[in-house]
Amino acid sequence: QREESYHFLVFTDLFGNRTHGVVVQYYRASGQEGAVQNGHRWNSKSRLYAPFAVCIISKFPYYNALRDCLSCLLVHLRPARHADFEEIIKEFSAKLSLVPLPPPGQLHVVRNLRPLQVVLPSREDQDRPVIDIDLHLPFLCFTHTTLLQVLSCLLQEQRLVFFSADWARLTLVAESLLLYLQPLSWQQPYVPVLSGGMLDFIMAPTAFLMGCHISHFEEVAAETEELVLVNVDDGIIQSCSETIDLPAIPVAAAESFIPRAECLQLHYDLELCHLGAATDANALRSQRRDWQARLNTQIQNIALELVVNIFRDVQDFLNHEHRVFNSEEFLRTREPADQSFYKKVLDTHIFHSFLRDRLNRKWDTFSRMEQNTRDHIRRKRAMTESPRRPLANELAKAGYRSYTSPNDRLSKRLGVSLPNLEQPANDTMVNVISNRMTSLRKITPDIGQCWSIKVFRLPDFPPPLSYHYVQNYYSDMVASLGKAISATPPEESALLARYHYLRGLVNTVSNRRLDALEDFQSLYKTDSDIFPLQMVKSLVGSLPDAERLQADRRPELKRLISRMKRDQERERARHDNGREEGAVKRFQLPKKYMQLEEFVKCIQETGIVKDQGTIQRLFDALTVGHQKQVGPELFGVFYTIWKETEAEAQEVCLPGSVLERIEPSECVFKLSSSIKTSRGVGKIAMTQRRLFLLTDGRPGYVEVAQYRDIEEVKVSSAPFLLLRIPSLKLRVRGRKEPFEANLKTETELWNLMVKEMWAGRTMADQHKDPQYMQQALTNALLMDAVVGSLQSIKAIYAASKLAHFDRIKLEVPMMVPKTTAETLKHKINPSLELAAPQAVDVLLYTPGMHKHAHTFSQLWVSVGGGKVMVFDASSWSLTNTCHVGNARLNCMLGVDKDQVWMGSEDSVIYIISMVAMVCNRQLTEHRAEVTGLALDTDKYRYMTNNT
């Protein structure tokens, strides 16, 4: 006889769907006393024990809950006769099949199996898996450095084999490690427990994660040299060959992870120090469960922060419109020590799936934490189209580097910094990699909702599991859920939705279809995130004619059935449109001449600029004097100059005395060569707010002008011996003497750029819209790149094609309503992510009302084409975008916890009144204008208070 043991299995089908198993193995007396075996008779005092194994298989990883179920089963199996063994198993499995799984959210389900109460925890939301496991086990097995090495191998999709003398430990540790990678998901073969007869699986040529008993270690290590071996028992990771390169986790992310991990309290015994002895087993288990849930949340936070710190900047290199990821530019901005890690990770399936979710704007835990951990300045920058440049507070304070003119830099630019081109082996990207200072904030944001967990206790199972008793059991469950719904206050809408979900589920399996549909309709009105769409579709499709007629007589059910039909039509329409939401492209430079249409698409894919009007002006500039098409060589030179200018700006290091004189949010976008000016010798620096002079010798700061104070910009001439050299002259408000700078061959270029910045500042002040300034800055930098690309006598004339605001500033200004000009302090651009501006259909401001539910003030904007954008009112940055159909006003808007369906009605007032009923807030009338696009008429301009 031996003590019973438990272990866990994971099965994966051909489609990647996983099934989870929990196994108990125990020994049972055979009852064959005095039996004869191999010619020997056992004496009466000897007993034979036979091993039995019972396995529960589930679609969900309820490891702890199912282990508890098997423990309760053993209580009934041990004293049972051998003849009753199979009947007890059948009855036990039938009882388990009567248990409904809880929906995502705050409601757990508890069943009494005697002697234990077994808890089925719910998922935190629809996109996350069930976590019913002790997530701290890997921290007990590995040091923090080794744990990061294992996670690095997983992210690089290496061929990993785990070893342990304990079968259960293999699956629990492997499952925990994969949960650490959330929301990234392991895409490769996964078999955490390999039997002795399955060891040949490790010869598979693909990446995998498998587990073996420690007794097979030498055998496995001798089979192949391309494996990464992880000894779970000893906490050691090693490779079979010295040729396997195992790049480490990026340094900055690892340095943020280790101190956080060291603060974890991993030992439950320390939690018990101040507690008395528990006299009830279920109470003791409940204490342990609560402690484990808190620890799991902390570990999830730390692991998610690690993933966010590793992939934080990926979003900046994505082009959502064309579904392009600029991998070359992303790699170029990584630290040199981290590049080998990223080169391997970027080619994995796990990263490709992650990119697909980013391009689909999936609002998951990564997106939320990445958004919440951005500082205020980065949030404001995220909502503009300004090129990537370092902020003043990110610049090092150890002097500044030289900045050469485009003429001097052209020769080295040709053929350099071009992505996806073969480079010589010894060709290095000198002076391209930026020494950026990554800001990794040590924060502890909650990845889940801060709500209190509620428990729904199932009625006791009926003794005989006949049809009549099972139906009575379902009726008791429906009655219990009805009481829970009646006792729940209306403001706890999330909890009400979970109760309606469970009751609809029970009504469905007991063939009460209409009652189930009513529950799902109530669920839909309170929380559509957990709405079981496929289940409701099947339920509607299975309605007999008599019940269908009854449903048509009930307005609520008729509305629900109509909604299901509309959803099916939309799905068919999306399928017919053939939108490739799974495609991810890598940016490549063009290989043929491009007309305007191809040029617009290519520029948008680069991420340099999205606006079609600006791109068309750039096309006109690059095609001055020849046929209206851009060749691949010219485009390659222009792209290289743009990217090198961006990299050089990141290398500019300002002294501390200069950083004190400018705003923390300012960036140096262009720095001239050392020149002579009327205020000394130095370099002129251009930011988005001002021009200033960095004096030579001992670096110092001399204010030249803020753009709004400029009165005149022109090209003058300065005497030099017998010659007159062109110079840039600026007249500034409040100063008697003009500022003059001998910029030599760059004079005309600086004249164009400063005029454009001046015009952009003027229009931004007139319209109270800083995005005019951002657009002017983009125009100025495009001028610089065009001049550097063309290198001809027509270069300045070509660059003048981009002087958009300087050309239109003398036109009749747009009339802004007085109310808007006085009250509207922040403006957003709902067409920022679009190639061309679109009119606004609905503008809705939703104030945050539930502090503990993490609902913040948001601005919802519905534009043409069924597109809805959500802006964070605290920073006015875009947080989410979704496509919800093509009809006008055909969108879903969420107000706090409540969802409001906005149909295709024409009356905006009716729809906003419907929102007001749900909010229970008084809406007040305001005039609202969004980037120059006003709503149709005065009576349609509706926003709430605190606009």
Side-chain angles (χ1 to χ4, degrees):
Q1 185 177 15
R2 298 178 185 176
E3 187 177 355
E4 65 265 9
S5 61
Y6 294 79
H7 67 274
F8 310 91
L9 304 173
V10 178
F11 310 98
T12 309
D13 63 16
L14 293 176
F15 302 100
N17 301 313
R18 293 177 187 170
T19 305
H20 308 269
V22 182
V23 184
V24 59
Q25 182 177 354
Y26 79 105
Y27 289 79
R28 180 181 177 87
S30 65
Q32 297 179 0
E33 297 182 6
V36 177
Q37 184 177 11
N38 296 331
H40 300 281
R41 178 178 295 277
W42 294 87
N43 57 41
S44 59
K45 296 182 180 180
S46 301
R47 304 193 68 184
L48 297 179
Y49 290 88
F52 287 82
V54 182
C55 178
I56 301 181
I57 298 176
S58 171
K59 289 292 184 183
F60 298 91
Y62 284 111
Y63 294 115
N64 289 335
L66 296 182
R67 181 175 56 184
D68 292 344
C69 291
L70 287 175
S71 300
C72 295
L73 175 62
L74 285 185
V75 174
H76 301 287
L77 286 180
R78 288 193 190 101
R81 296 179 305 169
H82 185 74
D84 299 333
F85 180 84
E86 197 166 326
E87 191 63 31
I88 294 175
I89 295 289
K90 287 182 178 180
E91 183 179 352
F92 183 79
S93 59
K95 288 180 179 179
L96 291 186
S97 68
L98 300 180
V99 178
L101 296 184
Q106 67 192 97
L107 186 63
H108 294 183
V109 169
V110 176
R111 59 177 181 261
N112 190 354
L113 283 182
R114 293 190 180 90
L116 297 179
Q117 291 183 356
V118 181
V119 177
L120 283 182
S122 60
R123 293 179 286 169
E124 290 195 40
D125 59 44
Q126 196 74 28
D127 297 324
R128 276 185 276 188
V130 171
I131 296 181
D132 188 27
I133 194 173
D134 298 345
L135 288 181
H136 67 289
L137 293 179
F139 285 91
L140 299 177
C141 297
F142 305 107
T143 64
H144 298 142
T145 303
T146 305
L147 180 58
L148 288 175
Q149 287 180 318
V150 176
L151 293 176
S152 176
C153 292
L154 289 172
L155 289 173
Q156 296 168 52
E157 291 186 348
Q158 299 280 356
R159 302 170 70 197
L160 287 98
V161 183
F162 284 27
F163 296 91
S164 176
D166 187 342
W167 291 109
R169 196 176 300 167
L170 286 172
T171 302
L172 295 179
V173 170
E175 283 284 296
S176 297
L177 291 171
L178 295 187
L179 287 172
Y180 291 174
L181 301 181
Q182 290 290 321
L184 282 73
S185 59
W186 180 258
Q187 307 285 320
Q188 301 294 342
Y190 172 54
V191 188
V193 173
L194 277 176
S195 64
M198 300 169 65
L199 290 182
D200 56 340
F201 280 20
I202 63 171
M203 302 300 294
T206 183
F208 54 72
L209 172 57
M210 299 186 184
C212 299
H213 195 273
I214 192 65
S215 59
H216 301 301
F217 185 89
E218 298 297 335
E219 180 183 356
V220 170
E223 288 291 335
T224 177
E225 295 183 351
E226 300 178 356
L227 298 179
V228 177
L229 310 180
V230 181
N231 189 329
V232 176
D233 296 340
D234 297 335
I236 298 173
I237 179 174
Q238 65 186 77
S239 60
C240 293
S241 173
E242 296 180 356
T243 60
I244 299 180
D245 183 24
L246 300 178
I249 289 285
V251 177
E255 291 177 350
S256 177
F257 173 85
I258 292 177
R260 298 285 309 280
E262 291 174 346
C263 296
L264 291 173
Q265 177 54 262
L266 302 176
H267 301 284
Y268 180 58
D269 290 343
L270 296 177
E271 185 80 5
L272 297 176
C273 293
H274 68 285
L275 299 177
T279 58
D280 181 77
N282 285 318
L284 183 63
R285 285 162 46 81
S286 178
Q287 291 177 358
R288 177 64 165 77
R289 231 177 359 252
D290 294 341
W291 173 83
Q292 188 66 57
R294 292 193 300 269
L295 180 60
N296 282 357
T297 300
Q298 294 172 3
I299 293 175
Q300 285 179 273
N301 283 331
I302 295 173
L304 179 60
E305 185 182 342
L306 174 69
V307 174
V308 169
N309 286 336
I310 293 173
F311 301 111
R312 179 183 297 277
D313 297 330
V314 166
Q315 189 72 26
D316 297 336
F317 298 88
L318 293 179
N319 186 303
H320 293 83
E321 191 70 24
H322 300 283
R323 303 187 65 80
V324 172
F325 172 58
N326 199 326
S327 58
E328 296 289 337
E329 290 302 323
F330 176 77
L331 281 174
R332 198 169 283 118
T333 58
R334 301 304 93 189
E335 297 290 345
D338 301 334
Q339 289 204 6
S340 58
F341 170 83
Y342 284 107
K343 284 179 181 178
K344 290 194 173 184
V345 171
L346 262 56
D347 291 330
T348 61
H349 289 83
I350 191 173
F351 182 75
H352 181 86
S353 178
F354 170 77
L355 274 186
R356 186 173 61 246
D357 289 340
R358 299 315 104 198
L359 288 171
N360 294 339
R361 300 187 185 279
K362 187 175 182 180
W363 190 243
D364 53 15
T365 55
F366 180 94
S367 303
R368 285 192 287 271
M369 179 174 279
E370 196 274 338
Q371 180 71 22
N372 293 336
T373 55
R374 286 191 176 194
D375 56 49
H376 182 65
I377 299 300
R378 288 183 180 273
R379 289 190 188 187
K380 294 182 69 174
R381 290 178 65 194
M383 61 180 288
T384 66
E385 289 190 86
S386 63
R388 290 184 292 272
R389 296 296 190 274
L391 304 178
N393 54 7
E394 298 174 354
L395 296 175
K397 301 181 180 181
Y400 56 94
R401 300 183 179 89
S402 60
Y403 192 91
T404 56
S405 66
N407 293 334
D408 300 329
R409 294 191 309 237
L410 181 63
S411 59
K412 74 172 184 177
R413 278 174 172 164
L414 294 176
V416 180
S417 188
L418 301 182
N420 304 309
L421 297 180
E422 293 185 0
Q423 298 284 352
N426 58 352
D427 187 14
T428 59
M429 303 298 294
V430 182
N431 295 328
V432 176
I433 304 300
S434 61
N435 295 321
R436 60 187 182 89
M437 300 179 64
T438 307
S439 175
L440 301 178
R441 300 173 57 195
K442 296 181 180 180
I443 37 79
T444 55
D446 292 331
I447 63 173
Q449 302 290 349
C450 289
W451 51 41
S452 58
I453 297 299
K454 303 293 184 182
V455 171
F456 175 70
R457 299 184 181 277
L458 299 179
D460 290 337
F461 293 112
L465 290 177
S466 61
Y467 177 81
H468 176 69
Y469 286 103
V470 169
Q471 291 299 316
N472 289 340
Y473 175 74
Y474 286 146
S475 299
D476 293 342
M477 199 182 305
V478 168
S480 299
L481 287 167
K483 292 179 182 178
I485 292 173
S486 302
T488 304
E491 55 268 19
E492 294 188 26
S493 57
L495 183 58
L496 278 173
R498 271 77 192 165
Y499 286 138
H500 281 296
Y501 179 100
L502 283 178
R503 194 169 70 176
L505 188 63
V506 176
N507 281 327
T508 300
V509 298
S510 56
N511 292 324
R512 299 166 184 166
R513 300 181 183 87
L514 296 183
D515 293 339
L517 287 177
E518 285 189 347
D519 280 314
F520 291 136
Q521 169 66 3
S522 300
L523 163 64
Y524 192 88
K525 292 190 295 184
T526 51
D527 193 343
S528 63
D529 289 340
I530 62 172
F531 184 73
L533 183 60
Q534 297 302 325
M535 184 188 300
V536 175
K537 287 181 179 178
S538 301
L539 194 60
V540 171
S542 65
L543 286 178
D545 294 339
E547 292 186 356
R548 187 60 178 266
L549 292 175
Q550 295 181 36
D552 290 339
R553 298 191 191 101
R554 303 184 189 181
E556 293 289 328
L557 296 187
K558 186 177 181 180
R559 190 177 299 116
L560 178 64
I561 294 173
S562 300
R563 188 178 297 119
M564 292 301 101
K565 288 183 178 179
R566 289 199 300 267
D567 289 342
Q568 290 175 344
E569 292 173 359
R570 286 196 196 94
E571 286 183 1
R572 284 194 292 268
R574 281 197 294 266
H575 181 73
D576 295 339
N577 291 337
R579 179 186 170 96
E580 284 290 336
E581 294 191 352
V584 180
K585 295 189 297 182
R586 298 287 180 91
F587 172 70
Q588 292 184 338
L589 288 172
K591 296 183 173 66
K592 62 180 182 179
Y593 281 83
M594 296 177 291
Q595 304 290 341
L596 176 59
E597 184 177 353
E598 293 91 352
F599 181 79
V600 169
K601 180 180 179 181
C602 193
I603 286 291
Q604 289 176 340
E605 288 183 356
T606 64
I608 293 176
V609 64
K610 298 177 183 177
D611 178 62
Q612 287 184 352
T614 304
I615 298 175
Q616 184 167 356
R617 291 190 289 272
L618 176 61
F619 181 80
D620 293 339
L622 291 176
T623 56
V624 164
H626 58 84
Q627 190 176 3
K628 291 298 181 180
Q629 57 182 3
V630 176
E633 293 182 0
L634 176 59
F635 187 91
V637 173
F638 167 79
Y639 178 81
T640 303
I641 290 177
W642 176 271
K643 290 301 178 182
E644 281 202 353
T645 305
E646 188 176 81
E648 288 168 352
Q650 293 183 353
E651 292 180 347
V652 174
C653 297
L654 302 177
S657 58
V658 175
L659 293 174
E660 294 174 355
R661 305 289 298 274
I662 62 178
E663 297 293 331
S665 60
E666 286 188 74
C667 312
V668 174
F669 287 88
K670 185 171 176 60
L671 191 67
S672 72
S673 56
S674 185
I675 58 173
K676 181 180 180 181
T677 73
S678 59
R679 303 194 65 181
V681 178
K683 301 176 181 179
I684 297 180
M686 184 184 79
T687 75
Q688 67 267 47
R689 293 174 181 266
R690 74 192 80 209
L691 299 171
F692 64 88
L693 184 68
L694 285 171
T695 56
D696 283 352
R698 185 177 181 181
Y701 174 90
V702 176
E703 178 86 15
V704 174
Q706 294 197 18
Y707 300 122
R708 59 165 49 96
D709 296 331
I710 295 177
E711 293 182 340
E712 183 185 21
V713 180
K714 67 177 182 179
V715 176
S716 181
S717 59
F720 180 74
L721 298 179
L722 299 178
L723 302 175
R724 298 191 68 84
I725 300 175
S727 63
L728 181 69
K729 180 177 288 187
L730 281 74
R731 291 193 176 274
V732 184
R733 185 182 302 111
R735 296 180 185 173
K736 295 182 180 180
E737 298 296 328
F739 174 81
E740 193 166 359
N742 183 6
L743 284 160
K744 304 174 186 176
T745 57
E746 289 190 282
T747 302
E748 293 287 349
L749 173 62
W750 276 86
N751 176 54
L752 286 175
M753 290 194 302
V754 174
K755 280 186 174 180
E756 183 70 4
M757 297 296 287
W758 176 28
R761 180 75 271 171
T762 302
M763 296 191 67
D765 290 343
Q766 288 178 354
H767 302 295
K768 291 185 172 19
D769 188 352
Q771 293 181 77
Y772 284 106
M773 197 65 217
Q774 299 295 342
Q775 182 61 53
L777 177 61
T778 300
N779 294 340
L781 295 176
L782 289 173
M783 294 176 189
D784 183 31
V786 166
V787 170
S789 304
L790 297 180
Q791 292 292 310
S792 66
I793 58 176
K794 295 183 179 181
I796 296 299
Y797 173 71
S800 66
K801 298 283 187 180
L802 292 159
H804 178 59
F805 293 126
D806 184 45
R807 187 163 49 250
I808 67 173
K809 71 178 182 180
L810 300 178
E811 299 178 0
V812 178
M814 181 179 62
M815 299 302 296
V816 180
K818 183 178 179 181
T819 307
T820 301
E822 291 176 352
T823 63
L824 193 57
K825 301 301 182 185
H826 296 278
K827 285 195 176 184
I828 61 168
N829 184 5
S831 300
L832 182 63
E833 298 291 337
L834 306 178
Q838 293 194 17
V840 174
D841 287 340
V842 173
L843 189 66
L844 177 66
Y845 178 83
T846 60
M849 293 188 293
H850 301 300
K851 179 179 179 182
H852 298 291
H854 285 272
T855 56
F856 303 107
S857 300
Q858 294 175 325
L859 184 66
W860 299 71
V861 181
S862 172
V863 297
K867 193 167 191 175
V868 178
M869 282 159 286
V870 186
F871 292 84
D872 180 5
S874 63
S875 60
W876 299 107
S877 59
L878 182 66
T879 61
N880 198 7
T881 304
C882 58
H883 292 270
V884 286
N886 296 318
R888 184 174 182 267
L889 303 184
N890 199 8
C891 58
M892 286 286 297
L893 285 188
V895 183
D896 296 319
K897 287 291 180 182
D898 303 306
Q899 298 291 333
V900 179
W901 172 256
M902 302 182 66
S904 57
E905 290 86 350
D906 291 329
S907 173
V908 178
I909 297 177
Y910 163 74
I911 293 173
I912 294 185
S913 299
M914 194 165 65
V915 175
M917 288 192 299
V918 177
C919 287
N920 195 21
R921 290 292 180 95
Q922 180 65 37
L923 299 179
T924 58
E925 187 171 345
H926 285 267
R927 298 171 182 265
E929 185 169 355
V930 182
T931 322
L933 298 175
L935 302 185
D936 295 338
T937 60
D938 287 349
K939 67 177 181 179
Y940 283 0
R941 292 177 177 139
Y942 277 79
M943 297 185 77
T944 61
N945 288 324
N946 306 320
T947 303

